[in-house]
Amino acid sequence: GDVPPDSAPSVPGTLPHFLKEPEDAYIIKSNPIKLLCRAVPALQIFFKCNGEWVHQNEHVSREYMDQNTGLKVREVLINVSRQQVEDFHGPEDYWCLCVAWSHLGTSKSRKATVHIAYLRKNFEQDPQGKEVPIKGMIVLHCRPPEGVPAAEVEWLKNEELVSSQTDENIDTRADHNLIINEARLSDSGNYTCLASNIVAKRRSATATVVVFVNGGWSLWTDWSSCNVPCGRGVQKRSRTCTNPAPLNGGAFCEGMSVQKITCNALCPIDGGWGEWSEWTVCSVQCGRQRKRECNDPPPRHRGRMCEGPGDATENCTGGMCTQNGKLMHDVRPQSMNGSNDVALYSGLGAGVIAVAVLVVAVMLYRRNQSDYGVDVIDSSALTGGFQSFNFKTTRQGNPLLLSSSLQPDLTVGRTYSSPICFQDSIDNKELFDPLPDIKVKVQSSFMVSLGVADRAEYHAPKGHPPETFPRGLNRDYNSTVERRSPKKGLLTPTKDQMKTTGVFGHLGGRLVVPNTGVSLLVPHGAIAEDTSWEMYMVINQGESSVQTEEGCDILLGPEVTYGPPGLDLSSPVAMTIAHCAELDAENWNIQLRKKTPDNKGEEVMSVEDESTSCYCLLDSTSCHLLLNQPGSYALIGEPLTQAAVKRLKLAVFGSMGPAPMDYSLRVYCVDDTPHAFQGVVATEKVKGGQLLEEPKMLPFRGNTFSLQVSIQDVPQFLWSIKPFTTCQEFSFPQVWCSSQKPLHCAFSLERYSPATTQLSCKISVRQVKGHEQILQVYTSVVESEKESVPFCMQSDCTVTSQTGPKAFKIPLSIRQRICATFDTANAKGKDWQLLAQKLHLDINLSYFAKQQSPSSVILSLWEARHQDTGDLDSLASALEEIGKIHSRSSTSKNQVDPESDLVCHLETATPGIPECGASELPNHETAKSIPLEFRRNSPSST
């Protein structure tokens, strides 16, 4: 506390005055900070930190003379380290001040605080991406990371600084938010919040802002002229969704692009002759006259004048006329009469000879044509065209009749006049060459495609196998007609097949045909130990439907074959096949059929009946089968009423046409199964087509009415479409018996200008007296702006087989314990029946009862049914519910449940859980822990 003696007073009687006081400071990382104090006059200066004097040795002092005032100035410096600040735990922040002495007394400086500077890494709130309409307000929130000193915030747009000083539309407030008062298209971009202090800079997650423009209608065009020259017609006007056009995902205009009103045009009235006037008196020239006027009616509204003369003159003396007082006779020479007779008889003779020659020629022609068995009535069959095509019904006893159940209509042929959709062009040679000896009565041409199976008469030569034509003539599934074998049941697979194979042993596994909804589960233990089989599964790309003697049955899903034929299994495999039926027992009779060695369909079971040979479980979109024997299986539906419905999947694809200005839209109607739709995807992949709208489902009723496809709202001033193609039609048999084969029709459009890069329209697909579905098309016709259709619909479409535990959802140890528990009969009855009930598999229980391990088969079926969910919660919940039921019963009887014992095994097998005995836990507590190990092993829990 004593003043150092060597310090002489500078200005006696004056208190020290601070020229520089210590300032607040921040320690960055481990670098110490310096606090400086300067005073005059001062005999001595010392620092005091946190109420304690800093040791003299830590001070660095110096003294010098101020040249301006001539006074001695004293300056003191100290260092403060990070360790000193961290070790201080007082109620205040770390602080320091300096005290200066003079002869008169002391002076204290201000307190200077010392902080350790930092900036955390994570933002308290990152900005979130937004989609806003144009002229809407954009608010991006940002809360920077905690830091000392507090971080300052800046905003970056596409890595460039955003400032409210350069853009009045932008407001960067003190709360760090970014506000754009009226969004502009130029405001779309990637925004980043940038926080910084003296320590570091931090960047937030990027927020993408999209400013979209909803479409707006342009002004209506003027009304067109009436479309008929006279009478009641239609006037149209149109507008386009270009004011503005939708941008950046904005909504398309709502409402119609075309308006129509009726109009009445005045029809021209052609003039008509009135009645003739009376003949005049016979004149001296032996003639008389009469007149008529064009007034009945007179011509009006650009009508034509009457045709013919308005007056007439005739001889009024009966051939005799008095001239110069003498009677004139009409005398004909004898030679003139003779020449007229010769001409008459010559003409009659020539006519008789011509008729005779024509008769002989016709007989020779018919005799020549009979060698080919063809009687062509109308040559239009050879030239083609959109006309009707009728077949005459077969004569009684004809063994080649397609279906005796189809009753012939002997009066009226079924005719369709709408345009048809062809996949490929068909010439007449291709149409008739496969039929070398078939007698066809042709009324007109190519409309055979639309349901003419009940209008045919066929004559096959001896030695040729009979061929039938259920829905037309051509093998191509998109053309007008499809061949089919007359044999009952499923048909021989073609060489075009989808196949997957795998080698399986005692551990089992799974076969999958990707993107088809078809899979096969081989349970653990189905194959004997030390044995392995190379198994395969094939989707047969067969014919269009399955024909029986009772009528046309519908193929509801792909026909699937698994093998090899000599496969020896101790428990059934579980096969899953997707189907397209809307399930209703009152409208459908659904059967499972298996192909016999002679390629005839053998009915294995009806899904509504009990069977011990196989098991069939129908879900809304899939059929799950338990099968003991390899072979070919298919799900067949027999519609019982016209209310039967099968699902169609509708998709529209587009691609550029052969000419630069052309664009083609292709609309597909296919059974709503993954396998059927993959045929469409594969076709469009080859064509380079682009999927223009998310596929939609259409319920198609078995009410015999056709399916119509029409294109609507095409901008008339930007695009043109071929006339008479805006509405196209599929007949009912084509759609109803399509048998997983895609049907499609095409709309060819042409743009008027290369500047037109957008196409917007609607595709209406409707069944007459049925449902309708709208496909909205809004796309760019520039190839580079679109991605091609993805072929794989699954996350990994290369996985076709899995073997061992990874193929199953239920761990093997748990599966074995469940089987051991529920397969054992006890006082309560057969526990596997309760397991089937809680898993909603309690139909056809007689099938499970015949199995060596009913619980194992039930679990295999559950695995097949839940293969896509990958979740064990439903099984765990069922076991938990069973445990509660049995725990109540066991408590009342004071005995232990098998389920409770199972739980103890499960808990014992789980690491970290102590062993338990049946008597260690109350039954209700044990029941609650039944699903414990399941949920541990569930992929969702992992």
Side-chain angles (χ1 to χ4, degrees), residues 372-647:
Y372 297 97
V374 177
D375 185 8
V376 179
I377 305 301
D378 189 350
S379 64
S380 63
L382 301 177
T383 58
F386 291 104
Q387 305 176 21
S388 62
F389 191 115
N390 295 340
F391 284 128
K392 188 176 70 177
T393 57
T394 183
R395 297 186 179 91
Q396 183 176 5
N398 188 347
L400 298 179
L401 176 64
L402 171 65
S403 173
S404 60
S405 65
L406 300 176
Q407 297 300 322
D409 184 353
L410 301 177
T411 59
V412 181
R414 186 177 300 174
T415 304
Y416 299 82
S417 58
S418 299
I420 319 172
C421 311
F422 296 98
Q423 185 183 26
D424 299 305
S425 61
I426 306 173
D427 57 22
N428 302 301
K429 186 177 186 301
E430 293 174 345
L431 188 63
F432 290 105
D433 277 355
L435 317 175
D437 198 356
I438 293 181
K439 184 176 182 181
V440 183
K441 287 200 171 183
V442 181
Q443 191 170 355
S444 58
S445 63
F446 282 167
M447 293 302 293
V448 282
S449 61
L450 303 179
V452 294
D454 52 348
R455 300 287 184 270
E457 177 181 3
Y458 306 103
H459 297 277
K462 294 181 180 180
H464 287 261
E467 293 187 304
T468 59
F469 298 78
R471 297 295 178 267
L473 295 175
N474 193 283
R475 285 186 173 90
D476 191 299
Y477 60 76
N478 270 339
S479 299
T480 56
V481 192
E482 301 169 6
R483 285 182 184 264
R484 182 169 53 205
S485 167
K487 296 182 179 181
K488 172 182 176 182
L490 299 170
L491 301 169
T492 304
T494 65
K495 62 182 181 181
D496 186 13
Q497 297 174 335
M498 302 178 68
K499 183 175 182 180
T500 180
T501 61
V503 178
F504 300 100
H506 185 69
L507 294 179
R510 190 189 303 268
L511 280 176
V512 178
V513 182
N515 302 312
T516 61
V518 177
S519 63
L520 184 74
L521 182 75
V522 183
H524 174 271
I527 300 176
E529 294 188 31
D530 301 325
T531 303
S532 63
W533 287 89
E534 183 179 8
M535 299 179 62
Y536 62 83
M537 183 169 57
V538 179
I539 297 180
N540 302 328
Q541 310 289 76
E543 302 294 333
S544 62
S545 66
V546 179
Q547 184 76 24
T548 65
E549 296 178 358
E550 292 78 22
C552 181
D553 294 334
I554 308 303
L555 186 64
L556 299 178
E559 177 190 344
V560 181
T561 302
Y562 87 92
L567 186 63
D568 184 17
L569 301 177
S570 61
S571 60
V573 298
M575 178 185 289
T576 298
I577 303 176
H579 68 80
C580 62
E582 288 284 355
L583 300 180
D584 190 342
E586 295 180 359
N587 299 324
W588 284 103
N589 175 27
I590 300 179
Q591 302 169 354
L592 178 66
R593 292 201 183 154
K594 178 183 178 183
K595 187 195 301 182
T596 57
D598 56 354
N599 286 336
K600 292 184 178 180
E602 172 192 26
E603 179 179 342
V604 178
M605 68 173 293
S606 175
V607 295
E608 300 296 327
D609 299 335
E610 296 276 332
S611 174
T612 58
S613 60
C614 68
Y615 186 101
C616 183
L617 175 67
L618 278 178
D619 284 342
S620 59
T621 58
S622 298
C623 173
H624 308 286
L625 309 173
L626 293 175
L627 305 171
N628 295 296
Q629 297 296 329
S632 296
Y633 295 87
L635 201 64
I636 305 299
E638 176 188 358
L640 303 179
T641 68
Q642 289 193 356
V645 173
K646 79 170 187 175
R647 301 186 310 276

Side-chain angles (χ1 to χ4, degrees), residues 118-127 140-155 173-178 192-197 200-205:
Y118 67 93
L119 183 62
R120 302 199 184 281
K121 292 184 178 180
N122 297 326
F123 278 71
E124 296 183 4
Q125 181 179 6
D126 284 305
L140 298 179
H141 298 278
C142 175
R143 291 174 59 191
E146 179 187 351
V148 174
E152 296 181 356
V153 171
E154 294 177 310
W155 284 91
R173 295 189 172 182
D175 57 2
H176 310 307
N177 296 335
L178 174 67
T192 307
C193 182
L194 184 64
S196 62
N197 66 4
K201 291 185 178 181
R202 303 281 188 249
R203 294 171 60 96
S204 69

Side-chain angles (χ1 to χ4, degrees), residues 132-319:
V132 294
I134 195 167
K135 294 187 179 180
M137 177 177 284
I138 303 174
V139 179
L140 298 179
H141 298 278
C142 175
R143 291 174 59 191
E146 179 187 351
V148 174
E152 296 181 356
V153 171
E154 294 177 310
W155 284 91
L156 301 178
K157 174 194 171 186
N158 298 332
E159 303 302 324
E160 294 184 2
L161 191 63
V162 175
S163 175
S164 58
Q165 297 178 355
T166 58
D167 192 343
E168 295 179 353
N169 194 37
I170 295 178
D171 182 10
T172 53
R173 295 189 172 182
D175 57 2
H176 310 307
N177 296 335
L178 174 67
I179 298 177
I180 301 177
N181 298 313
E182 288 190 4
R184 302 154 298 191
L185 287 177
S186 60
D187 292 326
S188 298
N190 298 320
Y191 288 81
T192 307
C193 182
L194 184 64
S196 62
N197 66 4
I198 61 175
V199 179
K201 291 185 178 181
R202 303 281 188 249
R203 294 171 60 96
S204 69
T206 299
T208 300
V209 173
V210 176
V211 180
F212 62 85
V213 179
N214 292 325
W217 289 113
S218 64
L219 296 177
W220 289 102
T221 61
D222 295 333
W223 289 103
S224 65
S225 58
C226 203
N227 66 335
V228 293
C230 73
R232 188 180 180 86
V234 175
Q235 285 181 285
K236 298 180 182 179
R237 67 174 184 174
S238 62
R239 57 181 179 175
T240 58
C241 189
T242 56
N243 187 32
L247 288 176
N248 297 337
F252 195 75
C253 301
E254 295 184 359
M256 302 301 294
S257 62
V258 177
Q259 279 187 345
K260 299 179 182 179
I261 58 173
T262 58
C263 56
N264 288 290
L266 296 175
C267 294
I269 299 176
D270 295 337
W273 289 114
E275 297 292 334
W276 286 100
S277 64
E278 296 294 334
W279 288 104
T280 62
V281 178
C282 193
S283 67
V284 295
Q285 284 81 21
C286 304
R288 58 181 182 178
Q289 295 85 30
R290 64 177 181 177
K291 295 183 178 182
R292 58 180 178 175
E293 294 184 1
C294 186
N295 58 3
D296 189 21
R300 288 179 295 176
H301 311 314
R302 304 177 309 280
R304 293 180 297 177
M305 291 295 295
C306 302
E307 295 181 359
D311 50 21
T313 302
E314 71 173 10
N315 188 284
C316 56
T317 61

Side-chain angles (χ1 to χ4, degrees), residues 675-718:
H675 164 255
F677 186 65
Q678 280 307 298
V680 174
V681 175
T683 300
E684 287 297 323
K685 186 179 179 69
V686 174
K687 294 182 178 181
Q690 299 158 356
L691 185 62
L692 304 182
E693 166 73 319
E694 193 70 20
K696 295 185 178 180
M697 190 275 289
L698 176 72
F700 188 82
R701 299 179 59 192
N703 58 6
T704 72
F705 289 101
S706 61
L707 188 71
Q708 296 178 344
V709 184
S710 61
I711 184 169
Q712 304 171 0
D713 297 351
V714 178
Q716 297 180 358
F717 297 98
L718 302 176

Side-chain angles (χ1 to χ4, degrees), residues 718-782:
L718 302 176
W719 294 86
S720 66
I721 185 170
K722 291 184 178 179
F724 309 111
T725 61
T726 56
C727 182
Q728 307 188 31
E729 186 171 3
F730 297 107
S731 70
F732 174 79
Q734 278 184 297
V735 182
W736 192 246
C737 300
S738 61
S739 302
Q740 311 291 301
K741 299 294 186 182
L743 300 172
H744 93 271
C745 57
F747 298 98
S748 297
L749 296 95
E750 181 180 3
R751 48 183 172 163
Y752 293 118
S753 169
T756 302
T757 61
Q758 301 291 329
L759 171 62
S760 62
C761 63
K762 295 178 182 178
I763 304 293
S764 169
V765 184
R766 63 179 293 269
Q767 184 184 17
V768 179
K769 297 186 179 181
H771 294 82
E772 181 181 21
Q773 191 66 267
I774 298 294
L775 298 172
Q776 179 70 58
V777 175
Y778 183 77
T779 183
S780 169
V781 298
V782 181

Side-chain angles (χ1 to χ4, degrees), residues 839-914:
L839 294 179
H840 308 290
L841 304 174
D842 52 343
I843 60 172
N844 196 9
L845 293 179
S846 59
Y847 178 84
F848 297 125
K850 292 289 186 179
Q851 304 300 320
Q852 182 179 359
S853 174
S855 300
S856 176
V857 178
I858 291 171
L859 293 179
S860 296
L861 184 60
W862 183 92
E863 286 260 12
R865 193 178 191 184
H866 296 84
Q867 59 182 308
D868 293 329
T869 61
D871 189 80
L872 296 173
D873 285 348
S874 62
L875 180 58
S877 300
L879 293 176
E880 188 173 7
E881 189 174 352
I882 294 173
K884 291 179 181 179
I885 295 173
H886 282 200
S887 64
R888 290 194 295 267
S889 175
S890 300
T891 303
S892 62
K893 296 183 181 181
N894 195 23
Q895 51 180 296
V896 178
D897 273 327
E899 287 78 11
S900 302
D901 192 33
L902 168 64
V903 176
C904 290
H905 284 299
L906 294 177
E907 293 181 341
T908 303
T910 305
I913 298 180

